[in-house]
Amino acid sequence: MTDFSGVTAESLEPGRVNTTASQRRHYHEAAVGRAIATSVERGLLTRNDLFLQTKFTFREGQNDRLPYDRDASIGIQVEQSFASSIKHLGTEVIDSYLLHGPTQRLGLAPADWEAWRAMEAIHDSGRVRLLGISNVSLEQLQRLCQRARIRPRFVQNRCYAARGWDRRIREFCTSNELIYQGFPLLTANREVMARPELARIAKRHGRTGSQIVFRSALDVGMVPLTGTTDLAHMKADLEVFDFALEPEEVKQIEALTES
């Protein structure tokens, strides 16, 4: 098995990370598992080539196709959801298991802590290597890091230019050796994608605006998450490792907002 004790943002190339959720409202986790199985069978990759990440989602974020008993305790729901995930993904171990967002905007509720304790128990059993949280505020993240027995290693947030590209949370992650995953960098920032400053940088490097945004994200220590059903777009999104931006260009992109 691959050793993830020293995992860093730099080691997690976007093409290696497969992130999903046991949440049929927005994800098709079973389809991800079938795609991985087919690729392994055809010799295109091995399980160790991939970093598998999925999430537990509270009832409020689900539709009627629940991966757990709606009447069970939250701790049992986490266990049932995880069992569904490993079945869908065809693996015995998940590399990273995330809480798909707290139940409230301010602070952490008892339900959040019950879910996190259940995730810690799964980690203790060896079925999960690293824990994380998504859609979290800085105050919530700080509180979780202070009180959790097993601290999160991943933070997966929506990353808006209009909100400073989530800079304060990224800075906290850097200071505390957490890995920040940003999404959806393109569709959440459509106005920025049309800015002439970005177009000039892209032209200078002979790249697309999307590639410039992804390269800039990598340069500031972020793991950019991208998803597309277009093969050409997928290929282009991954072609960001053979060129470099100038530090001033990265600063210029960081300063862009949608105003």
Side-chain angles (χ1 to χ4, degrees), residues 32-53:
V32 173
R34 289 195 294 270
I36 292 172
T38 298
S39 298
V40 171
E41 289 171 4
R42 293 178 179 176
L44 301 176
L45 49 79
T46 68
R47 167 64 179 86
N48 283 349
D49 291 328
L50 300 174
F51 187 89
L52 293 184
Q53 183 178 65

Side-chain angles (χ1 to χ4, degrees), residues 217-236:
L218 290 167
D219 286 345
V220 298
M222 186 189 307
V223 175
L225 300 180
T226 177
T228 177
T229 58
D230 187 300
L231 184 60
H233 287 171
M234 189 179 301
K235 185 174 183 293

Side-chain angles (χ1 to χ4, degrees), residues 55-236:
K55 309 177 190 74
F56 168 77
T57 307
F58 284 111
R59 177 69 184 89
E60 292 75 10
Q62 302 274 5
N63 60 18
D64 291 335
R65 296 173 291 180
L66 295 174
Y68 46 69
D69 179 355
R70 69 176 65 241
D71 297 321
S73 67
I74 290 173
I76 295 298
Q77 289 179 349
V78 170
E79 181 63 41
Q80 291 175 342
S81 181
F82 183 80
S84 175
S85 290
I86 58 175
K87 181 179 179 180
H88 285 161
L89 296 173
T91 185
E92 295 180 356
V93 178
I94 297 295
D95 298 315
S96 172
Y97 197 45
L98 272 59
L99 179 62
H100 205 175
T103 55
Q104 56 191 31
R105 291 192 174 187
L106 298 175
L108 296 174
D112 302 318
W113 287 113
E114 185 177 353
W116 191 262
R117 301 307 180 204
M119 290 168 61
E120 289 177 326
I122 294 173
H123 179 278
D124 290 340
S125 73
R127 292 173 291 163
V128 166
R129 295 194 173 97
L130 302 167
L131 299 181
I133 189 167
S134 182
N135 303 308
V136 66
S137 71
L138 178 58
E139 177 267 334
Q140 290 170 325
L141 179 59
Q142 290 171 329
R143 187 169 299 188
L144 180 61
C145 286
Q146 289 167 357
R147 292 183 53 190
R149 179 172 60 85
I150 299 175
R151 291 177 41 164
R153 287 292 306 279
F154 286 88
V155 174
Q156 188 179 114
N157 267 6
R158 290 178 174 83
C159 191
Y160 297 102
R163 301 177 186 174
W165 302 98
D166 214 14
R167 187 172 294 109
R168 292 182 64 205
I169 290 183
R170 288 193 288 114
E171 290 172 348
F172 180 85
C173 288
T174 299
S175 299
N176 291 272
E177 299 183 340
L178 311 183
I179 296 173
Y180 181 93
Q181 298 173 296
F183 75 97
L185 298 181
L186 306 184
T187 56
N189 301 296
R190 296 184 188 277
E191 292 185 26
V192 165
M193 295 299 299
R195 292 284 289 270
E197 300 96 320
L198 187 65
R200 284 194 290 269
I201 295 173
K203 183 177 180 181
R204 190 178 305 135
H205 290 273
R207 302 284 173 159
T208 66
S210 300
Q211 289 172 324
I212 295 301
V213 169
F214 288 137
R215 180 66 255 180
S216 176
L218 290 167
D219 286 345
V220 298
M222 186 189 307
V223 175
L225 300 180
T226 177
T228 177
T229 58
D230 187 300
L231 184 60
H233 287 171
M234 189 179 301
K235 185 174 183 293

Side-chain angles (χ1 to χ4, degrees), residues 7-23:
V7 68
T8 64
E10 291 77 12
S11 67
L12 291 178
E13 295 181 0
R16 186 184 176 204
V17 178
N18 287 260
T19 186
T20 183
S22 188
Q23 180 202 36

